Amino acid sequence: MRARSRPPVQGRGIFTGTGLIIACLAATLAALVFPIWSYADRSDPTGAVNVLSAQTVSTRYGPLSALDRDFVVKVRLAGLWELPAGEMAEQKGTTQAVRTAGRHLVDGHAALDAHVRSVAAQLGVPIPNQPNAQQQQWLATLTEAQGQDFDRQFANIARLAHGRVFSVVAQVRAGTQNTLVRDLADDANTTVLDHIKVLEATGYVDFAALAQQLAVTPSPAASPPVFAPSDAIPVVPSPAPAPPSASTYPLPPAASSPPPPHSP
């Protein structure tokens, strides 16, 4: 006599009924917990969180980041070499356009340097009193150059330097939370753009070489760029603002800065 097959028992097994529901809930919980566990010990790949916590300090004017402090130093450094470079252009330039560009650099950095020294003192940011090694090399190149070679070297070296700092100004202005740094970035943006325009108006800027320099050496180069001699047709820029009464513009030394005030 053949045994009769038994019907399946309802509700048994992990993949039926209540067991299936429990398994789904466990899988969902694991999916939620795993990302948290797997990233818990990983550092921020951009370093943004660590930088903000370790290098940003509180001041009465808002948070002051490492980028903000670096920007203040860069503005001071720009004046330390561009102002004497502008004076050389006023004296040695062979065209009115080059001499006018020199006057813009002198006037612009005389005012911008006063602004940055005030900001540095209020925020407690130490600033230099001498150009850096690269800037001293640029000044040495301009000191030795004469005639039309000076015009070309001045226009191209200064235009390269302004092109590099222009992107830094934009980055700081877009992201800073400090009101004093924000105002300084506004001032620097106006000054740098004016200088870019008058340098280009000399007719000596080699844009192909400039693009190559900016692409290959986005950070400051070890030596000033060398541009091949070429004829240039200067373009008369807009008139420069009336110069101050003094004939020279020595930048005052940086005052000793108090420590940045911290928010309570």
Side-chain angles (χ1 to χ4, degrees), residues 105-193:
L105 263 64
V106 169
D107 292 343
H109 282 289
L112 188 59
D113 187 74
H115 190 172
V116 73
R117 285 186 293 109
S118 173
V119 169
Q122 292 178 80
L123 295 177
V125 177
I127 54 177
N129 287 324
Q130 296 293 331
N132 62 30
Q134 180 193 54
Q135 293 165 343
Q136 291 177 25
Q137 205 166 20
W138 283 345
L139 289 172
T141 297
L142 296 178
T143 299
E144 295 176 1
Q146 300 295 329
Q148 199 175 63
D149 179 55
F150 171 85
D151 296 341
R152 280 190 297 269
Q153 293 284 6
F154 167 73
N156 284 286
I157 291 174
R159 176 61 179 82
L160 175 63
H162 282 82
R164 285 175 177 158
V165 77
F166 199 42
S167 59
V168 175
V169 174
Q171 181 184 6
V172 171
R173 181 60 181 84
T176 185
Q177 300 179 64
N178 189 281
T179 57
L180 293 185
V181 174
R182 190 176 300 130
D183 289 343
L184 180 63
D186 285 340
D187 193 2
N189 181 72
T190 301
T191 302
V192 172
L193 183 57

Coordinates of all heavy atoms in Angstrom, one line a residue, residues 105-193:
L105 N 49.7 100.9 -11.3 CA 50.3 100.0 -10.3 C 50.7 100.7 -9.0 O 50.4 100.2 -7.9 CB 51.5 99.2 -10.8 CG 51.1 97.8 -11.4 CD1 50.2 97.9 -12.6 CD2 52.4 97.0 -11.7
V106 N 51.3 101.8 -9.2 CA 51.8 102.6 -8.0 C 50.6 103.1 -7.2 O 50.5 102.9 -6.0 CB 52.6 103.8 -8.5 CG1 52.9 104.8 -7.3 CG2 54.0 103.3 -9.0
D107 N 49.6 103.7 -7.9 CA 48.5 104.3 -7.2 C 47.6 103.2 -6.5 O 47.2 103.3 -5.4 CB 47.6 105.1 -8.1 CG 48.3 106.4 -8.6 OD1 49.3 106.8 -7.9 OD2 47.9 107.0 -9.6
G108 N 47.4 102.1 -7.3 CA 46.5 101.1 -6.8 C 47.1 100.4 -5.6 O 46.4 100.1 -4.6
H109 N 48.4 100.1 -5.6 CA 49.0 99.4 -4.5 C 49.3 100.3 -3.3 O 49.4 99.8 -2.1 CB 50.2 98.6 -4.9 CG 49.9 97.3 -5.6 ND1 49.3 96.2 -5.0 CD2 49.9 97.0 -7.0 CE1 49.1 95.3 -5.9 NE2 49.4 95.7 -7.1
A110 N 49.5 101.5 -3.5 CA 49.6 102.5 -2.4 C 48.3 102.5 -1.5 O 48.4 102.4 -0.3 CB 49.9 103.9 -2.9
A111 N 47.2 102.5 -2.2 CA 45.9 102.4 -1.5 C 45.6 101.1 -0.9 O 45.2 100.9 0.2 CB 44.8 102.9 -2.4
L112 N 45.8 100.0 -1.7 CA 45.5 98.6 -1.3 C 46.4 98.2 -0.1 O 46.0 97.5 0.8 CB 45.7 97.7 -2.5 CG 45.2 96.2 -2.3 CD1 43.7 96.2 -1.9 CD2 45.5 95.4 -3.5
D113 N 47.7 98.7 -0.1 CA 48.5 98.3 1.0 C 48.1 98.9 2.3 O 48.2 98.3 3.3 CB 50.0 98.7 0.7 CG 51.0 98.2 1.7 OD1 51.2 97.0 1.7 OD2 51.4 99.0 2.6
A114 N 47.6 100.1 2.2 CA 47.1 100.7 3.5 C 45.9 99.9 4.0 O 45.7 99.7 5.2 CB 46.7 102.2 3.2
H115 N 45.1 99.4 3.1 CA 43.9 98.6 3.5 C 44.3 97.3 4.1 O 43.9 96.9 5.1 CB 43.0 98.4 2.2 CG 41.7 97.8 2.5 ND1 40.7 97.7 1.6 CD2 41.2 97.3 3.7 CE1 39.6 97.1 2.2 NE2 39.9 96.9 3.4
V116 N 45.3 96.6 3.4 CA 45.7 95.3 3.9 C 46.4 95.4 5.3 O 46.3 94.5 6.1 CB 46.5 94.6 2.9 CG1 47.9 95.1 2.8 CG2 46.6 93.1 3.2
R117 N 47.2 96.5 5.5 CA 47.8 96.6 6.8 C 46.8 96.9 7.9 O 47.0 96.4 9.0 CB 48.9 97.8 6.7 CG 50.1 97.4 6.0 CD 51.2 98.5 6.0 NE 50.8 99.7 5.3 CZ 50.5 100.9 5.9 NH1 50.5 101.0 7.2 NH2 50.1 101.9 5.2
S118 N 45.8 97.6 7.6 CA 44.7 97.8 8.6 C 44.0 96.5 8.9 O 43.8 96.2 10.1 CB 43.7 98.8 8.1 OG 42.6 98.9 8.9
V119 N 43.7 95.7 7.9 CA 43.0 94.4 8.1 C 43.9 93.5 8.9 O 43.5 92.8 9.8 CB 42.6 93.8 6.7 CG1 42.2 92.3 6.9 CG2 41.5 94.6 6.1
A120 N 45.2 93.4 8.5 CA 46.1 92.5 9.2 C 46.2 92.8 10.7 O 46.3 91.9 11.5 CB 47.5 92.5 8.5
A121 N 46.3 94.1 11.0 CA 46.4 94.5 12.4 C 45.1 94.2 13.2 O 45.2 93.7 14.3 CB 46.6 96.1 12.5
Q122 N 44.0 94.3 12.6 CA 42.7 94.0 13.3 C 42.5 92.5 13.5 O 41.9 92.1 14.5 CB 41.5 94.6 12.5 CG 41.5 96.2 12.5 CD 40.3 96.7 11.7 OE1 39.2 96.8 12.2 NE2 40.6 97.1 10.5
L123 N 43.0 91.7 12.5 CA 42.8 90.3 12.6 C 44.0 89.6 13.2 O 43.9 88.4 13.5 CB 42.6 89.7 11.2 CG 41.3 90.2 10.5 CD1 41.2 89.6 9.1 CD2 40.0 89.8 11.4
G124 N 45.1 90.3 13.5 CA 46.3 89.7 14.1 C 47.0 88.7 13.2 O 47.6 87.7 13.6
V125 N 47.0 89.1 11.9 CA 47.7 88.3 10.9 C 49.1 88.9 10.6 O 49.2 90.0 10.2 CB 46.9 88.2 9.6 CG1 47.7 87.4 8.5 CG2 45.5 87.6 9.8
P126 N 50.2 88.1 10.9 CA 51.5 88.6 10.6 C 51.7 88.8 9.1 O 51.4 87.9 8.3 CB 52.5 87.6 11.2 CG 51.6 86.7 12.1 CD 50.2 86.8 11.5
I127 N 52.3 89.9 8.7 CA 52.5 90.1 7.2 C 54.0 90.5 7.0 O 54.6 91.1 7.9 CB 51.6 91.2 6.6 CG1 51.7 92.5 7.4 CG2 50.1 90.7 6.6 CD1 50.8 93.6 6.9
P128 N 54.5 90.2 5.8 CA 55.9 90.4 5.6 C 56.2 91.9 5.3 O 55.3 92.7 5.0 CB 56.2 89.6 4.3 CG 54.9 89.5 3.6 CD 53.8 89.5 4.7
N129 N 57.5 92.2 5.3 CA 58.0 93.6 5.0 C 58.9 93.6 3.8 O 59.4 94.6 3.4 CB 58.7 94.2 6.2 CG 57.7 94.7 7.2 OD1 56.6 95.1 6.9 ND2 58.1 94.6 8.5
Q130 N 59.2 92.3 3.2 CA 60.1 92.2 2.1 C 59.4 91.3 1.0 O 58.7 90.4 1.4 CB 61.4 91.6 2.5 CG 62.2 92.4 3.4 CD 62.7 93.7 2.8 OE1 62.9 93.8 1.6 NE2 62.9 94.8 3.6
P131 N 59.6 91.6 -0.3 CA 59.1 90.7 -1.3 C 59.7 89.3 -1.1 O 60.8 89.1 -0.6 CB 59.5 91.3 -2.6 CG 59.9 92.7 -2.3 CD 60.4 92.7 -0.8
N132 N 59.0 88.2 -1.6 CA 59.5 86.9 -1.5 C 60.6 86.7 -2.6 O 60.9 87.6 -3.4 CB 58.4 85.8 -1.7 CG 57.7 85.9 -3.0 OD1 58.3 86.3 -4.0 ND2 56.4 85.5 -3.0
A133 N 61.2 85.5 -2.6 CA 62.4 85.3 -3.5 C 62.0 85.5 -5.0 O 62.8 86.0 -5.8 CB 62.9 83.9 -3.3
Q134 N 60.9 85.0 -5.4 CA 60.4 85.1 -6.8 C 60.2 86.5 -7.2 O 60.6 87.0 -8.2 CB 59.2 84.3 -7.0 CG 58.7 84.4 -8.5 CD 57.2 83.9 -8.6 OE1 56.3 84.3 -7.9 NE2 57.1 82.9 -9.5
Q135 N 59.6 87.3 -6.3 CA 59.3 88.7 -6.6 C 60.6 89.5 -6.7 O 60.7 90.4 -7.5 CB 58.3 89.2 -5.5 CG 57.0 88.6 -5.6 CD 56.1 88.9 -4.3 OE1 56.7 89.3 -3.3 NE2 54.8 88.7 -4.4
Q136 N 61.6 89.2 -5.8 CA 62.8 89.9 -5.9 C 63.5 89.6 -7.2 O 64.2 90.4 -7.8 CB 63.7 89.4 -4.7 CG 63.2 89.9 -3.4 CD 64.1 89.4 -2.2 OE1 65.2 89.1 -2.4 NE2 63.5 89.4 -1.0
Q137 N 63.3 88.3 -7.7 CA 63.9 88.0 -9.0 C 63.3 88.7 -10.1 O 63.9 89.2 -11.1 CB 63.8 86.5 -9.2 CG 64.8 85.9 -10.1 CD 64.8 84.3 -10.0 OE1 63.8 83.7 -9.6 NE2 65.9 83.7 -10.5
W138 N 62.0 88.9 -10.0 CA 61.2 89.7 -11.0 C 61.8 91.1 -11.0 O 62.0 91.7 -12.1 CB 59.8 89.7 -10.7 CG 59.1 88.4 -11.1 CD1 59.6 87.4 -11.9 CD2 57.8 88.0 -10.7 NE1 58.6 86.4 -12.1 CE2 57.5 86.8 -11.3 CE3 56.8 88.5 -9.9 CZ2 56.3 86.0 -11.2 CZ3 55.6 87.8 -9.7 CH2 55.4 86.6 -10.4
L139 N 61.9 91.7 -9.8 CA 62.4 93.1 -9.8 C 63.8 93.2 -10.3 O 64.2 94.2 -11.0 CB 62.4 93.6 -8.3 CG 61.0 93.9 -7.7 CD1 61.1 94.2 -6.2 CD2 60.3 95.0 -8.5
A140 N 64.7 92.2 -10.1 CA 66.0 92.2 -10.6 C 66.0 92.1 -12.2 O 66.8 92.8 -12.8 CB 66.8 91.0 -10.1
T141 N 65.1 91.3 -12.7 CA 64.9 91.3 -14.2 C 64.5 92.6 -14.7 O 65.1 93.1 -15.8 CB 63.9 90.2 -14.5 OG1 64.3 88.9 -14.1 CG2 63.7 90.2 -16.1
L142 N 63.6 93.3 -14.1 CA 63.1 94.6 -14.6 C 64.2 95.7 -14.4 O 64.3 96.6 -15.2 CB 61.9 95.0 -13.9 CG 60.6 94.1 -14.1 CD1 59.4 94.6 -13.3 CD2 60.3 94.1 -15.6
T143 N 65.0 95.5 -13.4 CA 66.1 96.5 -13.1 C 67.1 96.4 -14.2 O 67.6 97.5 -14.7 CB 66.7 96.3 -11.8 OG1 65.8 96.4 -10.7 CG2 67.9 97.2 -11.5
E144 N 67.4 95.2 -14.7 CA 68.4 95.1 -15.7 C 67.9 95.4 -17.1 O 68.7 95.8 -18.0 CB 69.0 93.6 -15.7 CG 69.7 93.3 -14.4 CD 70.1 91.8 -14.4 OE1 69.8 91.1 -15.4 OE2 70.7 91.4 -13.4
A145 N 66.6 95.2 -17.4 CA 66.1 95.4 -18.7 C 66.0 96.9 -19.1 O 65.8 97.7 -18.2 CB 64.7 94.8 -18.8
Q146 N 66.2 97.1 -20.4 CA 66.2 98.5 -20.9 C 65.4 98.6 -22.2 O 65.2 97.6 -22.9 CB 67.7 99.0 -21.1 CG 68.6 99.0 -19.9 CD 68.2 100.0 -18.8 OE1 67.6 101.0 -19.1 NE2 68.5 99.6 -17.6
G147 N 64.9 99.8 -22.4 CA 64.3 100.1 -23.7 C 63.0 99.2 -23.9 O 62.2 99.0 -23.0
Q148 N 62.8 98.8 -25.1 CA 61.6 98.0 -25.4 C 61.6 96.7 -24.7 O 60.5 96.1 -24.5 CB 61.5 97.8 -27.0 CG 60.1 97.5 -27.4 CD 60.0 97.4 -28.9 OE1 60.6 96.6 -29.6 NE2 59.2 98.3 -29.5
D149 N 62.8 96.1 -24.4 CA 62.8 94.9 -23.7 C 62.2 95.1 -22.3 O 61.5 94.2 -21.8 CB 64.3 94.4 -23.6 CG 64.4 93.1 -22.8 OD1 63.7 92.1 -23.1 OD2 65.1 93.1 -21.8
F150 N 62.5 96.2 -21.7 CA 61.8 96.5 -20.4 C 60.3 96.5 -20.5 O 59.6 96.0 -19.7 CB 62.3 97.8 -19.8 CG 61.5 98.2 -18.6 CD1 61.9 97.7 -17.3 CD2 60.4 99.1 -18.7 CE1 61.1 98.1 -16.2 CE2 59.7 99.4 -17.6 CZ 60.0 98.9 -16.3
D151 N 59.8 97.2 -21.6 CA 58.4 97.3 -21.8 C 57.8 95.9 -21.8 O 56.7 95.6 -21.2 CB 58.1 98.0 -23.1 CG 58.5 99.5 -23.0 OD1 58.7 100.0 -21.9 OD2 58.7 100.1 -24.1
R152 N 58.4 95.0 -22.6 CA 57.8 93.6 -22.8 C 57.9 92.9 -21.5 O 56.9 92.2 -21.1 CB 58.6 92.9 -23.9 CG 58.2 93.2 -25.3 CD 58.9 92.3 -26.3 NE 60.3 92.4 -26.3 CZ 61.0 93.2 -27.0 NH1 60.4 94.0 -27.9 NH2 62.3 93.3 -27.0
Q153 N 59.1 92.9 -20.8 CA 59.2 92.2 -19.6 C 58.2 92.7 -18.5 O 57.6 91.9 -17.8 CB 60.7 92.3 -19.1 CG 61.7 91.6 -19.9 CD 61.7 90.1 -19.8 OE1 60.9 89.5 -19.1 NE2 62.6 89.5 -20.4
F154 N 58.1 94.0 -18.4 CA 57.2 94.6 -17.4 C 55.8 94.1 -17.6 O 55.1 93.7 -16.7 CB 57.3 96.1 -17.4 CG 56.2 96.8 -16.7 CD1 56.2 96.8 -15.3 CD2 55.2 97.4 -17.4 CE1 55.1 97.4 -14.6 CE2 54.2 98.1 -16.7 CZ 54.1 98.1 -15.3
A155 N 55.3 94.3 -18.9 CA 53.9 94.0 -19.2 C 53.6 92.5 -19.0 O 52.6 92.2 -18.4 CB 53.6 94.4 -20.6
N156 N 54.5 91.6 -19.4 CA 54.2 90.2 -19.3 C 54.4 89.6 -17.9 O 53.6 88.8 -17.5 CB 55.1 89.5 -20.3 CG 54.6 89.6 -21.7 OD1 53.6 89.1 -22.1 ND2 55.3 90.5 -22.5
I157 N 55.5 90.1 -17.2 CA 55.7 89.6 -15.8 C 54.5 90.0 -14.9 O 53.9 89.2 -14.2 CB 57.0 90.0 -15.3 CG1 58.2 89.3 -16.0 CG2 57.1 89.7 -13.8 CD1 59.5 89.9 -15.6
A158 N 54.2 91.3 -15.0 CA 53.1 91.8 -14.2 C 51.7 91.2 -14.6 O 50.9 90.9 -13.7 CB 53.1 93.4 -14.3
R159 N 51.5 91.0 -15.9 CA 50.2 90.4 -16.3 C 50.1 89.0 -15.8 O 49.0 88.6 -15.4 CB 50.1 90.5 -17.8 CG 48.9 89.9 -18.4 CD 47.6 90.5 -17.8 NE 46.4 89.9 -18.4 CZ 45.9 88.7 -17.9 NH1 46.4 88.1 -16.9 NH2 44.8 88.2 -18.5
L160 N 51.2 88.2 -15.8 CA 51.2 86.9 -15.3 C 50.9 86.8 -13.8 O 50.1 86.1 -13.4 CB 52.5 86.2 -15.6 CG 52.7 84.8 -15.0 CD1 51.7 83.8 -15.6 CD2 54.1 84.3 -15.2
A161 N 51.5 87.7 -13.1 CA 51.3 87.8 -11.6 C 49.9 88.1 -11.3 O 49.3 87.5 -10.4 CB 52.3 88.8 -11.0
H162 N 49.3 89.1 -12.0 CA 47.9 89.5 -11.8 C 47.0 88.4 -12.2 O 45.9 88.2 -11.6 CB 47.6 90.8 -12.5 CG 48.2 92.0 -11.9 ND1 49.5 92.4 -12.0 CD2 47.6 92.9 -11.1 CE1 49.7 93.5 -11.3 NE2 48.5 93.8 -10.7
G163 N 47.3 87.7 -13.3 CA 46.4 86.6 -13.7 C 46.3 85.5 -12.6 O 45.3 84.9 -12.4
R164 N 47.5 85.2 -12.0 CA 47.5 84.2 -10.9 C 46.7 84.6 -9.7 O 45.9 83.9 -9.1 CB 48.9 83.9 -10.5 CG 49.6 83.0 -11.5 CD 51.1 82.8 -11.1 NE 51.8 82.0 -12.0 CZ 53.1 81.9 -12.2 NH1 53.8 82.8 -11.5 NH2 53.7 81.1 -13.0
V165 N 46.9 85.9 -9.3 CA 46.2 86.3 -8.1 C 44.7 86.6 -8.3 O 43.9 86.5 -7.3 CB 46.9 87.6 -7.5 CG1 46.5 88.8 -8.3 CG2 46.6 87.8 -6.0
F166 N 44.3 86.8 -9.5 CA 42.9 87.1 -9.8 C 42.0 86.0 -9.4 O 40.9 86.2 -8.8 CB 42.7 87.4 -11.3 CG 41.5 88.2 -11.6 CD1 41.0 89.2 -10.9 CD2 40.7 87.9 -12.8 CE1 39.9 89.9 -11.2 CE2 39.6 88.5 -13.1 CZ 39.1 89.6 -12.3
S167 N 42.5 84.7 -9.7 CA 41.6 83.6 -9.3 C 41.6 83.4 -7.8 O 40.6 82.9 -7.3 CB 42.2 82.3 -10.0 OG 43.5 82.1 -9.6
V168 N 42.7 83.7 -7.1 CA 42.7 83.6 -5.7 C 41.7 84.6 -5.1 O 41.0 84.3 -4.1 CB 44.2 83.9 -5.2 CG1 44.2 83.9 -3.6 CG2 45.1 82.8 -5.7
V169 N 41.7 85.8 -5.6 CA 40.8 86.8 -5.1 C 39.3 86.3 -5.2 O 38.5 86.4 -4.3 CB 40.9 88.2 -5.8 CG1 39.9 89.1 -5.4 CG2 42.3 88.7 -5.6
A170 N 39.0 85.7 -6.4 CA 37.6 85.2 -6.6 C 37.3 84.1 -5.6 O 36.2 84.0 -5.1 CB 37.5 84.7 -8.0
Q171 N 38.3 83.2 -5.4 CA 38.0 82.1 -4.5 C 37.8 82.6 -3.1 O 36.8 82.1 -2.4 CB 39.2 81.1 -4.5 CG 39.1 79.9 -3.6 CD 40.3 79.0 -3.6 OE1 41.3 79.4 -4.2 NE2 40.2 77.9 -3.0
V172 N 38.6 83.5 -2.6 CA 38.4 84.0 -1.3 C 37.1 84.8 -1.2 O 36.3 84.6 -0.2 CB 39.6 84.9 -0.9 CG1 39.3 85.7 0.4 CG2 40.9 84.1 -0.8
R173 N 36.8 85.6 -2.1 CA 35.6 86.4 -2.1 C 34.3 85.6 -2.1 O 33.3 85.9 -1.4 CB 35.5 87.4 -3.3 CG 34.3 88.3 -3.3 CD 34.2 89.1 -2.1 NE 33.0 90.0 -2.0 CZ 31.8 89.6 -1.6 NH1 31.7 88.4 -1.1 NH2 30.8 90.4 -1.6
A174 N 34.4 84.4 -2.8 CA 33.2 83.5 -2.9 C 33.0 82.8 -1.6 O 31.9 82.5 -1.2 CB 33.4 82.6 -4.0
G175 N 34.1 82.5 -0.8 CA 33.9 81.6 0.3 C 34.2 82.2 1.7 O 33.8 81.5 2.7
T176 N 34.8 83.3 1.8 CA 35.1 83.8 3.1 C 33.9 84.2 3.9 O 32.9 84.7 3.4 CB 36.0 85.1 3.0 OG1 36.5 85.4 4.4 CG2 35.3 86.3 2.4
Q177 N 34.0 83.9 5.3 CA 32.9 84.3 6.2 C 33.3 85.5 7.0 O 32.6 85.9 7.9 CB 32.6 83.1 7.1 CG 32.2 81.9 6.4 CD 31.9 80.7 7.3 OE1 31.0 80.8 8.2 NE2 32.6 79.7 7.2
N178 N 34.5 86.1 6.7 CA 35.0 87.2 7.5 C 34.7 88.5 6.8 O 35.1 88.7 5.6 CB 36.5 87.0 7.7 CG 37.1 88.0 8.7 OD1 37.3 89.1 8.4 ND2 37.3 87.6 9.9
T179 N 34.1 89.5 7.5 CA 33.7 90.7 6.8 C 34.9 91.6 6.4 O 34.8 92.2 5.3 CB 32.8 91.5 7.7 OG1 33.4 91.8 9.0 CG2 31.5 90.8 8.0
L180 N 35.9 91.6 7.2 CA 37.1 92.4 6.8 C 37.8 91.8 5.6 O 38.2 92.5 4.7 CB 38.1 92.5 8.0 CG 37.6 93.2 9.2 CD1 38.8 93.3 10.2 CD2 37.2 94.6 8.9
V181 N 37.9 90.5 5.6 CA 38.5 89.8 4.4 C 37.7 90.0 3.2 O 38.2 90.2 2.1 CB 38.8 88.3 4.7 CG1 39.3 87.6 3.5 CG2 39.8 88.2 5.9
R182 N 36.4 90.0 3.4 CA 35.4 90.2 2.2 C 35.6 91.6 1.6 O 35.7 91.7 0.4 CB 34.0 90.0 2.7 CG 33.0 89.9 1.5 CD 31.6 89.6 2.1 NE 31.6 88.3 2.8 CZ 31.1 88.1 4.0 NH1 30.6 89.2 4.7 NH2 31.1 86.9 4.6
D183 N 35.7 92.6 2.5 CA 35.9 93.9 2.0 C 37.3 94.1 1.3 O 37.4 94.8 0.3 CB 35.8 94.9 3.1 CG 34.4 95.1 3.7 OD1 33.5 94.7 2.9 OD2 34.3 95.6 4.8
L184 N 38.3 93.4 1.8 CA 39.6 93.5 1.2 C 39.6 92.8 -0.1 O 40.2 93.3 -1.1 CB 40.7 92.8 2.1 CG 42.1 92.8 1.6 CD1 42.6 94.2 1.5 CD2 43.0 92.0 2.6
A185 N 38.9 91.7 -0.2 CA 38.8 91.0 -1.5 C 38.1 91.8 -2.6 O 38.5 91.9 -3.7 CB 38.0 89.7 -1.4
D186 N 37.1 92.6 -2.2 CA 36.4 93.5 -3.1 C 37.4 94.6 -3.6 O 37.4 94.9 -4.8 CB 35.2 94.2 -2.4 CG 34.0 93.3 -2.2 OD1 33.9 92.3 -2.9 OD2 33.2 93.6 -1.3
D187 N 38.1 95.1 -2.7 CA 39.1 96.1 -3.1 C 40.2 95.6 -4.0 O 40.6 96.2 -5.0 CB 39.8 96.7 -1.8 CG 40.6 98.0 -2.0 OD1 40.6 98.5 -3.2 OD2 41.2 98.5 -1.1
A188 N 40.7 94.4 -3.6 CA 41.7 93.7 -4.4 C 41.2 93.4 -5.8 O 41.9 93.5 -6.8 CB 42.2 92.5 -3.7
N189 N 39.9 92.9 -5.9 CA 39.4 92.6 -7.2 C 39.3 93.8 -8.1 O 39.7 93.7 -9.3 CB 37.9 92.0 -7.0 CG 37.3 91.6 -8.3 OD1 37.7 90.6 -8.9 ND2 36.3 92.4 -8.7
T190 N 38.9 94.9 -7.6 CA 38.8 96.1 -8.4 C 40.2 96.6 -8.9 O 40.4 96.9 -10.0 CB 38.2 97.3 -7.6 OG1 36.9 96.9 -7.2 CG2 38.1 98.6 -8.4
T191 N 41.2 96.5 -7.9 CA 42.6 96.9 -8.2 C 43.2 96.0 -9.3 O 43.8 96.4 -10.2 CB 43.4 96.9 -7.0 OG1 42.8 97.8 -6.0 CG2 44.8 97.4 -7.2
V192 N 43.1 94.7 -9.0 CA 43.7 93.7 -9.9 C 43.1 93.8 -11.3 O 43.9 93.8 -12.3 CB 43.6 92.3 -9.4 CG1 44.1 91.3 -10.4 CG2 44.4 92.2 -8.1
L193 N 41.8 93.9 -11.4 CA 41.2 94.0 -12.8 C 41.6 95.3 -13.5 O 41.9 95.2 -14.7 CB 39.7 94.0 -12.6 CG 38.9 94.0 -13.9 CD1 39.3 92.8 -14.8 CD2 37.4 94.0 -13.6

